[in-house]
PDB file of all heavy atoms in Angstrom:
ATOM      1  N   PHE Z 611      -5.821   0.748  -1.534  1.00 95.00           N
ATOM      2  CA  PHE Z 611      -4.474   0.824  -2.104  1.00 95.00           C
ATOM      3  C   PHE Z 611      -4.402  -0.020  -3.382  1.00 95.00           C
ATOM      4  O   PHE Z 611      -3.839   0.402  -4.387  1.00 95.00           O
ATOM      5  CB  PHE Z 611      -3.444   0.376  -1.076  1.00 95.00           C
ATOM      6  CG  PHE Z 611      -2.001   0.700  -1.406  1.00 95.00           C
ATOM      7  CD1 PHE Z 611      -1.634   1.522  -2.463  1.00 95.00           C
ATOM      8  CD2 PHE Z 611      -0.984   0.177  -0.626  1.00 95.00           C
ATOM      9  CE1 PHE Z 611      -0.305   1.818  -2.738  1.00 95.00           C
ATOM     10  CE2 PHE Z 611       0.345   0.458  -0.900  1.00 95.00           C
ATOM     11  CZ  PHE Z 611       0.690   1.269  -1.955  1.00 95.00           C
ATOM     12  N   LEU Z 612      -5.019  -1.205  -3.373  1.00 97.00           N
ATOM     13  CA  LEU Z 612      -5.054  -2.047  -4.573  1.00 97.00           C
ATOM     14  C   LEU Z 612      -5.742  -1.308  -5.721  1.00 97.00           C
ATOM     15  O   LEU Z 612      -5.259  -1.320  -6.865  1.00 97.00           O
ATOM     16  CB  LEU Z 612      -5.770  -3.367  -4.269  1.00 97.00           C
ATOM     17  CG  LEU Z 612      -5.937  -4.329  -5.448  1.00 97.00           C
ATOM     18  CD1 LEU Z 612      -4.585  -4.777  -5.995  1.00 97.00           C
ATOM     19  CD2 LEU Z 612      -6.774  -5.531  -5.022  1.00 97.00           C
ATOM     20  N   HIS Z 613      -6.840  -0.643  -5.439  1.00 97.00           N
ATOM     21  CA  HIS Z 613      -7.545   0.136  -6.468  1.00 97.00           C
ATOM     22  C   HIS Z 613      -6.643   1.239  -7.018  1.00 97.00           C
ATOM     23  O   HIS Z 613      -6.557   1.435  -8.241  1.00 97.00           O
ATOM     24  CB  HIS Z 613      -8.826   0.737  -5.884  1.00 97.00           C
ATOM     25  CG  HIS Z 613      -9.492   1.705  -6.796  1.00 97.00           C
ATOM     26  ND1 HIS Z 613     -10.235   1.319  -7.893  1.00 97.00           N
ATOM     27  CD2 HIS Z 613      -9.504   3.070  -6.799  1.00 97.00           C
ATOM     28  CE1 HIS Z 613     -10.677   2.390  -8.519  1.00 97.00           C
ATOM     29  NE2 HIS Z 613     -10.250   3.460  -7.881  1.00 97.00           N
ATOM     30  N   LEU Z 614      -5.968   1.979  -6.127  1.00 97.00           N
ATOM     31  CA  LEU Z 614      -5.076   3.050  -6.573  1.00 97.00           C
ATOM     32  C   LEU Z 614      -3.927   2.488  -7.413  1.00 97.00           C
ATOM     33  O   LEU Z 614      -3.495   3.114  -8.388  1.00 97.00           O
ATOM     34  CB  LEU Z 614      -4.547   3.838  -5.373  1.00 97.00           C
ATOM     35  CG  LEU Z 614      -5.592   4.647  -4.619  1.00 97.00           C
ATOM     36  CD1 LEU Z 614      -5.003   5.203  -3.321  1.00 97.00           C
ATOM     37  CD2 LEU Z 614      -6.140   5.767  -5.486  1.00 97.00           C
ATOM     38  N   TYR Z 615      -3.443   1.314  -7.044  1.00 98.00           N
ATOM     39  CA  TYR Z 615      -2.388   0.662  -7.827  1.00 98.00           C
ATOM     40  C   TYR Z 615      -2.905   0.327  -9.230  1.00 98.00           C
ATOM     41  O   TYR Z 615      -2.258   0.639 -10.234  1.00 98.00           O
ATOM     42  CB  TYR Z 615      -1.900  -0.604  -7.117  1.00 98.00           C
ATOM     43  CG  TYR Z 615      -0.962  -1.421  -7.960  1.00 98.00           C
ATOM     44  CD1 TYR Z 615       0.376  -1.069  -8.071  1.00 98.00           C
ATOM     45  CD2 TYR Z 615      -1.423  -2.512  -8.685  1.00 98.00           C
ATOM     46  CE1 TYR Z 615       1.240  -1.802  -8.873  1.00 98.00           C
ATOM     47  CE2 TYR Z 615      -0.569  -3.250  -9.489  1.00 98.00           C
ATOM     48  CZ  TYR Z 615       0.761  -2.890  -9.584  1.00 98.00           C
ATOM     49  OH  TYR Z 615       1.616  -3.606 -10.383  1.00 98.00           O
ATOM     50  N   ARG Z 616      -4.073  -0.296  -9.285  1.00 97.00           N
ATOM     51  CA  ARG Z 616      -4.632  -0.721 -10.571  1.00 97.00           C
ATOM     52  C   ARG Z 616      -5.021   0.457 -11.464  1.00 97.00           C
ATOM     53  O   ARG Z 616      -4.763   0.449 -12.668  1.00 97.00           O
ATOM     54  CB  ARG Z 616      -5.858  -1.602 -10.346  1.00 97.00           C
ATOM     55  CG  ARG Z 616      -5.518  -2.987  -9.858  1.00 97.00           C
ATOM     56  CD  ARG Z 616      -6.781  -3.769  -9.562  1.00 97.00           C
ATOM     57  NE  ARG Z 616      -6.483  -5.175  -9.324  1.00 97.00           N
ATOM     58  CZ  ARG Z 616      -7.359  -6.032  -8.820  1.00 97.00           C
ATOM     59  NH1 ARG Z 616      -8.584  -5.626  -8.512  1.00 97.00           N
ATOM     60  NH2 ARG Z 616      -7.020  -7.293  -8.625  1.00 97.00           N
ATOM     61  N   GLU Z 617      -5.661   1.459 -10.893  1.00 98.00           N
ATOM     62  CA  GLU Z 617      -6.183   2.570 -11.687  1.00 98.00           C
ATOM     63  C   GLU Z 617      -5.153   3.642 -12.012  1.00 98.00           C
ATOM     64  O   GLU Z 617      -5.227   4.283 -13.061  1.00 98.00           O
ATOM     65  CB  GLU Z 617      -7.374   3.217 -10.970  1.00 98.00           C
ATOM     66  CG  GLU Z 617      -8.582   2.318 -10.848  1.00 98.00           C
ATOM     67  CD  GLU Z 617      -9.165   1.922 -12.197  1.00 98.00           C
ATOM     68  OE1 GLU Z 617      -9.321   2.814 -13.060  1.00 98.00           O
ATOM     69  OE2 GLU Z 617      -9.462   0.724 -12.379  1.00 98.00           O
ATOM     70  N   TYR Z 618      -4.205   3.868 -11.093  1.00 98.00           N
ATOM     71  CA  TYR Z 618      -3.282   4.988 -11.260  1.00 98.00           C
ATOM     72  C   TYR Z 618      -1.802   4.602 -11.177  1.00 98.00           C
ATOM     73  O   TYR Z 618      -0.936   5.468 -11.251  1.00 98.00           O
ATOM     74  CB  TYR Z 618      -3.568   6.069 -10.209  1.00 98.00           C
ATOM     75  CG  TYR Z 618      -4.996   6.560 -10.264  1.00 98.00           C
ATOM     76  CD1 TYR Z 618      -5.927   6.119  -9.336  1.00 98.00           C
ATOM     77  CD2 TYR Z 618      -5.419   7.439 -11.267  1.00 98.00           C
ATOM     78  CE1 TYR Z 618      -7.248   6.548  -9.392  1.00 98.00           C
ATOM     79  CE2 TYR Z 618      -6.730   7.869 -11.333  1.00 98.00           C
ATOM     80  CZ  TYR Z 618      -7.646   7.421 -10.397  1.00 98.00           C
ATOM     81  OH  TYR Z 618      -8.952   7.840 -10.461  1.00 98.00           O
ATOM     82  N   GLY Z 619      -1.533   3.327 -10.954  1.00 97.00           N
ATOM     83  CA  GLY Z 619      -0.143   2.887 -10.854  1.00 97.00           C
ATOM     84  C   GLY Z 619       0.530   3.282  -9.554  1.00 97.00           C
ATOM     85  O   GLY Z 619       1.761   3.299  -9.467  1.00 97.00           O
ATOM     86  N   ALA Z 620      -0.254   3.609  -8.536  1.00 97.00           N
ATOM     87  CA  ALA Z 620       0.325   4.011  -7.242  1.00 97.00           C
ATOM     88  C   ALA Z 620       1.082   2.841  -6.620  1.00 97.00           C
ATOM     89  O   ALA Z 620       0.550   1.733  -6.508  1.00 97.00           O
ATOM     90  CB  ALA Z 620      -0.765   4.488  -6.301  1.00 97.00           C
ATOM     91  N   THR Z 621       2.321   3.075  -6.241  1.00 97.00           N
ATOM     92  CA  THR Z 621       3.116   2.029  -5.584  1.00 97.00           C
ATOM     93  C   THR Z 621       3.616   2.453  -4.217  1.00 97.00           C
ATOM     94  O   THR Z 621       4.331   1.710  -3.562  1.00 97.00           O
ATOM     95  CB  THR Z 621       4.331   1.632  -6.450  1.00 97.00           C
ATOM     96  OG1 THR Z 621       5.140   2.792  -6.677  1.00 97.00           O
ATOM     97  CG2 THR Z 621       3.893   1.021  -7.779  1.00 97.00           C
ATOM     98  N   LEU Z 622       3.250   3.660  -3.798  1.00 97.00           N
ATOM     99  CA  LEU Z 622       3.653   4.148  -2.482  1.00 97.00           C
ATOM    100  C   LEU Z 622       2.452   4.761  -1.790  1.00 97.00           C
ATOM    101  O   LEU Z 622       1.747   5.596  -2.370  1.00 97.00           O
ATOM    102  CB  LEU Z 622       4.760   5.205  -2.598  1.00 97.00           C
ATOM    103  CG  LEU Z 622       5.210   5.846  -1.292  1.00 97.00           C
ATOM    104  CD1 LEU Z 622       5.910   4.839  -0.388  1.00 97.00           C
ATOM    105  CD2 LEU Z 622       6.122   7.030  -1.552  1.00 97.00           C
ATOM    106  N   GLN Z 623       2.222   4.342  -0.564  1.00 95.00           N
ATOM    107  CA  GLN Z 623       1.172   4.926   0.254  1.00 95.00           C
ATOM    108  C   GLN Z 623       1.843   5.598   1.446  1.00 95.00           C
ATOM    109  O   GLN Z 623       2.680   4.999   2.108  1.00 95.00           O
ATOM    110  CB  GLN Z 623       0.197   3.846   0.726  1.00 95.00           C
ATOM    111  CG  GLN Z 623      -0.979   4.408   1.481  1.00 95.00           C
ATOM    112  CD  GLN Z 623      -1.967   3.312   1.858  1.00 95.00           C
ATOM    113  OE1 GLN Z 623      -1.641   2.441   2.647  1.00 95.00           O
ATOM    114  NE2 GLN Z 623      -3.156   3.377   1.290  1.00 95.00           N
ATOM    115  N   VAL Z 624       1.478   6.840   1.694  1.00 93.00           N
ATOM    116  CA  VAL Z 624       2.005   7.592   2.819  1.00 93.00           C
ATOM    117  C   VAL Z 624       0.965   7.548   3.932  1.00 93.00           C
ATOM    118  O   VAL Z 624      -0.226   7.731   3.683  1.00 93.00           O
ATOM    119  CB  VAL Z 624       2.302   9.060   2.419  1.00 93.00           C
ATOM    120  CG1 VAL Z 624       2.811   9.854   3.598  1.00 93.00           C
ATOM    121  CG2 VAL Z 624       3.298   9.094   1.272  1.00 93.00           C
ATOM    122  N   CYS Z 625       1.419   7.292   5.150  1.00 91.00           N
ATOM    123  CA  CYS Z 625       0.466   7.174   6.256  1.00 91.00           C
ATOM    124  C   CYS Z 625       1.092   7.651   7.552  1.00 91.00           C
ATOM    125  O   CYS Z 625       2.306   7.767   7.668  1.00 91.00           O
ATOM    126  CB  CYS Z 625       0.003   5.733   6.415  1.00 91.00           C
ATOM    127  SG  CYS Z 625       1.290   4.565   6.912  1.00 91.00           S
ATOM    128  N   GLY Z 626       0.232   7.890   8.520  1.00 88.00           N
ATOM    129  CA  GLY Z 626       0.690   8.166   9.869  1.00 88.00           C
ATOM    130  C   GLY Z 626       1.063   6.860  10.535  1.00 88.00           C
ATOM    131  O   GLY Z 626       0.596   5.781  10.147  1.00 88.00           O
ATOM    132  N   ALA Z 627       1.901   6.941  11.554  1.00 90.00           N
ATOM    133  CA  ALA Z 627       2.372   5.739  12.227  1.00 90.00           C
ATOM    134  C   ALA Z 627       1.223   4.889  12.766  1.00 90.00           C
ATOM    135  O   ALA Z 627       1.331   3.671  12.838  1.00 90.00           O
ATOM    136  CB  ALA Z 627       3.334   6.128  13.357  1.00 90.00           C
ATOM    137  N   ASP Z 628       0.104   5.510  13.090  1.00 87.00           N
ATOM    138  CA  ASP Z 628      -1.038   4.759  13.611  1.00 87.00           C
ATOM    139  C   ASP Z 628      -1.751   3.954  12.529  1.00 87.00           C
ATOM    140  O   ASP Z 628      -2.584   3.108  12.827  1.00 87.00           O
ATOM    141  CB  ASP Z 628      -2.017   5.689  14.318  1.00 87.00           C
ATOM    142  CG  ASP Z 628      -2.624   6.735  13.399  1.00 87.00           C
ATOM    143  OD1 ASP Z 628      -1.973   7.120  12.404  1.00 87.00           O
ATOM    144  OD2 ASP Z 628      -3.749   7.179  13.687  1.00 87.00           O
ATOM    145  N   GLN Z 629      -1.416   4.190  11.263  1.00 89.00           N
ATOM    146  CA  GLN Z 629      -2.051   3.480  10.153  1.00 89.00           C
ATOM    147  C   GLN Z 629      -1.136   2.449   9.499  1.00 89.00           C
ATOM    148  O   GLN Z 629      -1.475   1.862   8.478  1.00 89.00           O
ATOM    149  CB  GLN Z 629      -2.519   4.494   9.098  1.00 89.00           C
ATOM    150  CG  GLN Z 629      -3.643   5.370   9.566  1.00 89.00           C
ATOM    151  CD  GLN Z 629      -4.904   4.558   9.818  1.00 89.00           C
ATOM    152  OE1 GLN Z 629      -5.336   3.767   8.989  1.00 89.00           O
ATOM    153  NE2 GLN Z 629      -5.482   4.746  10.991  1.00 89.00           N
ATOM    154  N   TRP Z 630       0.015   2.181  10.108  1.00 91.00           N
ATOM    155  CA  TRP Z 630       0.998   1.284   9.508  1.00 91.00           C
ATOM    156  C   TRP Z 630       0.400  -0.094   9.223  1.00 91.00           C
ATOM    157  O   TRP Z 630       0.507  -0.628   8.121  1.00 91.00           O
ATOM    158  CB  TRP Z 630       2.225   1.162  10.417  1.00 91.00           C
ATOM    159  CG  TRP Z 630       3.299   0.309   9.816  1.00 91.00           C
ATOM    160  CD1 TRP Z 630       4.243   0.696   8.916  1.00 91.00           C
ATOM    161  CD2 TRP Z 630       3.505  -1.090  10.044  1.00 91.00           C
ATOM    162  NE1 TRP Z 630       5.033  -0.375   8.574  1.00 91.00           N
ATOM    163  CE2 TRP Z 630       4.602  -1.485   9.259  1.00 91.00           C
ATOM    164  CE3 TRP Z 630       2.875  -2.038  10.833  1.00 91.00           C
ATOM    165  CZ2 TRP Z 630       5.083  -2.782   9.237  1.00 91.00           C
ATOM    166  CZ3 TRP Z 630       3.361  -3.336  10.816  1.00 91.00           C
ATOM    167  CH2 TRP Z 630       4.454  -3.696  10.024  1.00 91.00           C
ATOM    168  N   GLY Z 631      -0.257  -0.696  10.199  1.00 89.00           N
ATOM    169  CA  GLY Z 631      -0.824  -2.033  10.027  1.00 89.00           C
ATOM    170  C   GLY Z 631      -1.866  -2.074   8.936  1.00 89.00           C
ATOM    171  O   GLY Z 631      -1.901  -3.002   8.118  1.00 89.00           O
ATOM    172  N   ASN Z 632      -2.733  -1.069   8.898  1.00 89.00           N
ATOM    173  CA  ASN Z 632      -3.755  -1.014   7.853  1.00 89.00           C
ATOM    174  C   ASN Z 632      -3.118  -0.844   6.480  1.00 89.00           C
ATOM    175  O   ASN Z 632      -3.590  -1.412   5.497  1.00 89.00           O
ATOM    176  CB  ASN Z 632      -4.720   0.136   8.110  1.00 89.00           C
ATOM    177  CG  ASN Z 632      -5.542  -0.069   9.356  1.00 89.00           C
ATOM    178  OD1 ASN Z 632      -5.787  -1.192   9.774  1.00 89.00           O
ATOM    179  ND2 ASN Z 632      -5.981   1.017   9.963  1.00 89.00           N
ATOM    180  N   SER Z 633      -2.065  -0.084   6.404  1.00 92.00           N
ATOM    181  CA  SER Z 633      -1.412   0.158   5.121  1.00 92.00           C
ATOM    182  C   SER Z 633      -0.681  -1.079   4.613  1.00 92.00           C
ATOM    183  O   SER Z 633      -0.640  -1.326   3.402  1.00 92.00           O
ATOM    184  CB  SER Z 633      -0.441   1.328   5.243  1.00 92.00           C
ATOM    185  OG  SER Z 633      -1.150   2.505   5.555  1.00 92.00           O
ATOM    186  N   ILE Z 634      -0.138  -1.870   5.511  1.00 94.00           N
ATOM    187  CA  ILE Z 634       0.546  -3.102   5.118  1.00 94.00           C
ATOM    188  C   ILE Z 634      -0.420  -4.055   4.415  1.00 94.00           C
ATOM    189  O   ILE Z 634      -0.041  -4.815   3.529  1.00 94.00           O
ATOM    190  CB  ILE Z 634       1.198  -3.775   6.352  1.00 94.00           C
ATOM    191  CG1 ILE Z 634       2.478  -3.034   6.740  1.00 94.00           C
ATOM    192  CG2 ILE Z 634       1.489  -5.247   6.124  1.00 94.00           C
ATOM    193  CD1 ILE Z 634       3.596  -3.125   5.724  1.00 94.00           C
ATOM    194  N   ALA Z 635      -1.699  -3.998   4.785  1.00 94.00           N
ATOM    195  CA  ALA Z 635      -2.698  -4.851   4.134  1.00 94.00           C
ATOM    196  C   ALA Z 635      -2.720  -4.599   2.635  1.00 94.00           C
ATOM    197  O   ALA Z 635      -2.837  -5.543   1.837  1.00 94.00           O
ATOM    198  CB  ALA Z 635      -4.080  -4.614   4.747  1.00 94.00           C
ATOM    199  N   GLY Z 636      -2.620  -3.348   2.228  1.00 95.00           N
ATOM    200  CA  GLY Z 636      -2.600  -3.023   0.810  1.00 95.00           C
ATOM    201  C   GLY Z 636      -1.352  -3.518   0.109  1.00 95.00           C
ATOM    202  O   GLY Z 636      -1.405  -4.031  -1.013  1.00 95.00           O
ATOM    203  N   VAL Z 637      -0.219  -3.398   0.787  1.00 97.00           N
ATOM    204  CA  VAL Z 637       1.038  -3.900   0.232  1.00 97.00           C
ATOM    205  C   VAL Z 637       0.915  -5.405  -0.017  1.00 97.00           C
ATOM    206  O   VAL Z 637       1.298  -5.911  -1.082  1.00 97.00           O
ATOM    207  CB  VAL Z 637       2.220  -3.586   1.191  1.00 97.00           C
ATOM    208  CG1 VAL Z 637       3.481  -4.313   0.764  1.00 97.00           C
ATOM    209  CG2 VAL Z 637       2.452  -2.081   1.264  1.00 97.00           C
ATOM    210  N   GLU Z 638       0.361  -6.111   0.947  1.00 96.00           N
ATOM    211  CA  GLU Z 638       0.181  -7.560   0.825  1.00 96.00           C
ATOM    212  C   GLU Z 638      -0.798  -7.924  -0.290  1.00 96.00           C
ATOM    213  O   GLU Z 638      -0.567  -8.867  -1.048  1.00 96.00           O
ATOM    214  CB  GLU Z 638      -0.288  -8.163   2.144  1.00 96.00           C
ATOM    215  CG  GLU Z 638       0.838  -8.449   3.105  1.00 96.00           C
ATOM    216  CD  GLU Z 638       1.843  -9.451   2.539  1.00 96.00           C
ATOM    217  OE1 GLU Z 638       1.465 -10.608   2.247  1.00 96.00           O
ATOM    218  OE2 GLU Z 638       3.012  -9.058   2.373  1.00 96.00           O
ATOM    219  N   LEU Z 639      -1.915  -7.196  -0.386  1.00 96.00           N
ATOM    220  CA  LEU Z 639      -2.875  -7.473  -1.459  1.00 96.00           C
ATOM    221  C   LEU Z 639      -2.245  -7.281  -2.834  1.00 96.00           C
ATOM    222  O   LEU Z 639      -2.429  -8.108  -3.730  1.00 96.00           O
ATOM    223  CB  LEU Z 639      -4.098  -6.566  -1.323  1.00 96.00           C
ATOM    224  CG  LEU Z 639      -5.198  -7.037  -0.396  1.00 96.00           C
ATOM    225  CD1 LEU Z 639      -6.264  -5.948  -0.257  1.00 96.00           C
ATOM    226  CD2 LEU Z 639      -5.829  -8.314  -0.896  1.00 96.00           C
ATOM    227  N   ILE Z 640      -1.514  -6.201  -3.001  1.00 97.00           N
ATOM    228  CA  ILE Z 640      -0.863  -5.932  -4.287  1.00 97.00           C
ATOM    229  C   ILE Z 640       0.154  -7.032  -4.597  1.00 97.00           C
ATOM    230  O   ILE Z 640       0.223  -7.542  -5.721  1.00 97.00           O
ATOM    231  CB  ILE Z 640      -0.220  -4.531  -4.292  1.00 97.00           C
ATOM    232  CG1 ILE Z 640      -1.322  -3.463  -4.267  1.00 97.00           C
ATOM    233  CG2 ILE Z 640       0.700  -4.345  -5.508  1.00 97.00           C
ATOM    234  CD1 ILE Z 640      -0.829  -2.059  -3.977  1.00 97.00           C
ATOM    235  N   ARG Z 641       0.912  -7.447  -3.596  1.00 97.00           N
ATOM    236  CA  ARG Z 641       1.909  -8.507  -3.794  1.00 97.00           C
ATOM    237  C   ARG Z 641       1.229  -9.825  -4.172  1.00 97.00           C
ATOM    238  O   ARG Z 641       1.623 -10.490  -5.122  1.00 97.00           O
ATOM    239  CB  ARG Z 641       2.757  -8.698  -2.541  1.00 97.00           C
ATOM    240  CG  ARG Z 641       3.891  -9.713  -2.712  1.00 97.00           C
ATOM    241  CD  ARG Z 641       4.683  -9.922  -1.433  1.00 97.00           C
ATOM    242  NE  ARG Z 641       3.886 -10.486  -0.368  1.00 97.00           N
ATOM    243  CZ  ARG Z 641       3.546 -11.785  -0.256  1.00 97.00           C
ATOM    244  NH1 ARG Z 641       3.919 -12.637  -1.181  1.00 97.00           N
ATOM    245  NH2 ARG Z 641       2.839 -12.210   0.765  1.00 97.00           N
ATOM    246  N   ARG Z 642       0.183 -10.197  -3.436  1.00 97.00           N
ATOM    247  CA  ARG Z 642      -0.469 -11.491  -3.659  1.00 97.00           C
ATOM    248  C   ARG Z 642      -1.347 -11.515  -4.913  1.00 97.00           C
ATOM    249  O   ARG Z 642      -1.338 -12.493  -5.652  1.00 97.00           O
ATOM    250  CB  ARG Z 642      -1.317 -11.856  -2.449  1.00 97.00           C
ATOM    251  CG  ARG Z 642      -0.492 -12.201  -1.239  1.00 97.00           C
ATOM    252  CD  ARG Z 642      -1.372 -12.481  -0.043  1.00 97.00           C
ATOM    253  NE  ARG Z 642      -0.561 -12.658   1.131  1.00 97.00           N
ATOM    254  CZ  ARG Z 642      -0.788 -13.600   2.028  1.00 97.00           C
ATOM    255  NH1 ARG Z 642      -1.808 -14.419   1.887  1.00 97.00           N
ATOM    256  NH2 ARG Z 642       0.003 -13.700   3.078  1.00 97.00           N
ATOM    257  N   ILE Z 643      -2.113 -10.465  -5.153  1.00 97.00           N
ATOM    258  CA  ILE Z 643      -3.058 -10.462  -6.276  1.00 97.00           C
ATOM    259  C   ILE Z 643      -2.382 -10.065  -7.581  1.00 97.00           C
ATOM    260  O   ILE Z 643      -2.625 -10.668  -8.627  1.00 97.00           O
ATOM    261  CB  ILE Z 643      -4.262  -9.542  -5.976  1.00 97.00           C
ATOM    262  CG1 ILE Z 643      -5.072 -10.138  -4.816  1.00 97.00           C
ATOM    263  CG2 ILE Z 643      -5.136  -9.356  -7.208  1.00 97.00           C
ATOM    264  CD1 ILE Z 643      -6.189  -9.231  -4.309  1.00 97.00           C
ATOM    265  N   GLU Z 644      -1.543  -9.051  -7.523  1.00 97.00           N
ATOM    266  CA  GLU Z 644      -0.933  -8.523  -8.750  1.00 97.00           C
ATOM    267  C   GLU Z 644       0.495  -9.013  -8.969  1.00 97.00           C
ATOM    268  O   GLU Z 644       1.057  -8.809 -10.040  1.00 97.00           O
ATOM    269  CB  GLU Z 644      -0.943  -6.986  -8.728  1.00 97.00           C
ATOM    270  CG  GLU Z 644      -2.330  -6.377  -8.644  1.00 97.00           C
ATOM    271  CD  GLU Z 644      -3.155  -6.610  -9.896  1.00 97.00           C
ATOM    272  OE1 GLU Z 644      -2.569  -6.700 -10.998  1.00 97.00           O
ATOM    273  OE2 GLU Z 644      -4.384  -6.707  -9.773  1.00 97.00           O
ATOM    274  N   GLY Z 645       1.089  -9.618  -7.936  1.00 97.00           N
ATOM    275  CA  GLY Z 645       2.474 -10.065  -8.064  1.00 97.00           C
ATOM    276  C   GLY Z 645       3.443  -8.911  -8.195  1.00 97.00           C
ATOM    277  O   GLY Z 645       4.520  -9.046  -8.779  1.00 97.00           O
ATOM    278  N   ALA Z 646       3.078  -7.762  -7.672  1.00 97.00           N
ATOM    279  CA  ALA Z 646       3.902  -6.553  -7.810  1.00 97.00           C
ATOM    280  C   ALA Z 646       4.356  -6.060  -6.434  1.00 97.00           C
ATOM    281  O   ALA Z 646       3.829  -6.467  -5.401  1.00 97.00           O
ATOM    282  CB  ALA Z 646       3.110  -5.461  -8.516  1.00 97.00           C
ATOM    283  N   GLU Z 647       5.320  -5.168  -6.473  1.00 97.00           N
ATOM    284  CA  GLU Z 647       5.842  -4.589  -5.237  1.00 97.00           C
ATOM    285  C   GLU Z 647       5.211  -3.222  -4.995  1.00 97.00           C
ATOM    286  O   GLU Z 647       5.090  -2.412  -5.905  1.00 97.00           O
ATOM    287  CB  GLU Z 647       7.359  -4.432  -5.331  1.00 97.00           C
ATOM    288  CG  GLU Z 647       7.989  -3.897  -4.067  1.00 97.00           C
ATOM    289  CD  GLU Z 647       9.499  -3.806  -4.149  1.00 97.00           C
ATOM    290  OE1 GLU Z 647      10.138  -4.755  -4.659  1.00 97.00           O
ATOM    291  OE2 GLU Z 647      10.038  -2.776  -3.698  1.00 97.00           O
ATOM    292  N   ALA Z 648       4.812  -2.999  -3.772  1.00 97.00           N
ATOM    293  CA  ALA Z 648       4.308  -1.698  -3.337  1.00 97.00           C
ATOM    294  C   ALA Z 648       4.907  -1.433  -1.965  1.00 97.00           C
ATOM    295  O   ALA Z 648       5.358  -2.354  -1.282  1.00 97.00           O
ATOM    296  CB  ALA Z 648       2.789  -1.690  -3.279  1.00 97.00           C
ATOM    297  N   ASN Z 649       4.914  -0.171  -1.575  1.00 97.00           N
ATOM    298  CA  ASN Z 649       5.542   0.210  -0.314  1.00 97.00           C
ATOM    299  C   ASN Z 649       4.679   1.209   0.442  1.00 97.00           C
ATOM    300  O   ASN Z 649       3.815   1.866  -0.141  1.00 97.00           O
ATOM    301  CB  ASN Z 649       6.920   0.842  -0.581  1.00 97.00           C
ATOM    302  CG  ASN Z 649       7.860  -0.123  -1.250  1.00 97.00           C
ATOM    303  OD1 ASN Z 649       8.409  -1.006  -0.623  1.00 97.00           O
ATOM    304  ND2 ASN Z 649       8.033   0.023  -2.548  1.00 97.00           N
ATOM    305  N   ILE Z 650       4.981   1.340   1.710  1.00 96.00           N
ATOM    306  CA  ILE Z 650       4.372   2.397   2.511  1.00 96.00           C
ATOM    307  C   ILE Z 650       5.488   3.193   3.162  1.00 96.00           C
ATOM    308  O   ILE Z 650       6.592   2.695   3.368  1.00 96.00           O
ATOM    309  CB  ILE Z 650       3.401   1.863   3.592  1.00 96.00           C
ATOM    310  CG1 ILE Z 650       4.125   0.944   4.568  1.00 96.00           C
ATOM    311  CG2 ILE Z 650       2.213   1.189   2.976  1.00 96.00           C
ATOM    312  CD1 ILE Z 650       3.312   0.619   5.800  1.00 96.00           C
ATOM    313  N   TRP Z 651       5.192   4.435   3.433  1.00 95.00           N
ATOM    314  CA  TRP Z 651       6.086   5.308   4.181  1.00 95.00           C
ATOM    315  C   TRP Z 651       5.254   5.864   5.318  1.00 95.00           C
ATOM    316  O   TRP Z 651       4.262   6.545   5.078  1.00 95.00           O
ATOM    317  CB  TRP Z 651       6.621   6.425   3.288  1.00 95.00           C
ATOM    318  CG  TRP Z 651       7.554   7.351   3.989  1.00 95.00           C
ATOM    319  CD1 TRP Z 651       8.860   7.126   4.311  1.00 95.00           C
ATOM    320  CD2 TRP Z 651       7.252   8.659   4.482  1.00 95.00           C
ATOM    321  NE1 TRP Z 651       9.383   8.202   4.959  1.00 95.00           N
ATOM    322  CE2 TRP Z 651       8.404   9.161   5.090  1.00 95.00           C
ATOM    323  CE3 TRP Z 651       6.108   9.439   4.481  1.00 95.00           C
ATOM    324  CZ2 TRP Z 651       8.450  10.410   5.671  1.00 95.00           C
ATOM    325  CZ3 TRP Z 651       6.155  10.683   5.066  1.00 95.00           C
ATOM    326  CH2 TRP Z 651       7.327  11.159   5.655  1.00 95.00           C
ATOM    327  N   SER Z 652       5.623   5.499   6.530  1.00 94.00           N
ATOM    328  CA  SER Z 652       4.854   6.002   7.670  1.00 94.00           C
ATOM    329  C   SER Z 652       5.664   7.064   8.398  1.00 94.00           C
ATOM    330  O   SER Z 652       6.876   6.957   8.515  1.00 94.00           O
ATOM    331  CB  SER Z 652       4.450   4.879   8.618  1.00 94.00           C
ATOM    332  OG  SER Z 652       5.570   4.294   9.231  1.00 94.00           O
ATOM    333  N   ALA Z 653       4.952   8.068   8.848  1.00 90.00           N
ATOM    334  CA  ALA Z 653       5.568   9.185   9.557  1.00 90.00           C
ATOM    335  C   ALA Z 653       5.028   9.215  10.984  1.00 90.00           C
ATOM    336  O   ALA Z 653       3.880   8.830  11.221  1.00 90.00           O
ATOM    337  CB  ALA Z 653       5.242  10.496   8.859  1.00 90.00           C
ATOM    338  N   PRO Z 654       5.849   9.685  11.910  1.00 89.00           N
ATOM    339  CA  PRO Z 654       5.346   9.824  13.278  1.00 89.00           C
ATOM    340  C   PRO Z 654       4.150  10.773  13.309  1.00 89.00           C
ATOM    341  O   PRO Z 654       4.052  11.691  12.496  1.00 89.00           O
ATOM    342  CB  PRO Z 654       6.533  10.436  14.041  1.00 89.00           C
ATOM    343  CG  PRO Z 654       7.720  10.210  13.181  1.00 89.00           C
ATOM    344  CD  PRO Z 654       7.227  10.131  11.768  1.00 89.00           C
ATOM    345  N   LEU Z 655       3.262  10.526  14.225  1.00 88.00           N
ATOM    346  CA  LEU Z 655       2.102  11.403  14.380  1.00 88.00           C
ATOM    347  C   LEU Z 655       2.538  12.741  14.948  1.00 88.00           C
ATOM    348  O   LEU Z 655       3.463  12.811  15.753  1.00 88.00           O
ATOM    349  CB  LEU Z 655       1.080  10.774  15.320  1.00 88.00           C
ATOM    350  CG  LEU Z 655       0.439   9.487  14.851  1.00 88.00           C
ATOM    351  CD1 LEU Z 655      -0.511   8.969  15.913  1.00 88.00           C
ATOM    352  CD2 LEU Z 655      -0.288   9.693  13.548  1.00 88.00           C
TER     353      LEU Z 655
END
């Protein structure tokens, strides 16, 4: 997610509910490393 943010400006990651925890890791990396806001949208499986 950090790579997609840096290379393409991606600020939203879409995931299944089973990937919520893994996706939050990217949100945190972007916040801590880049000082920027990113989000995830999780959908029920």
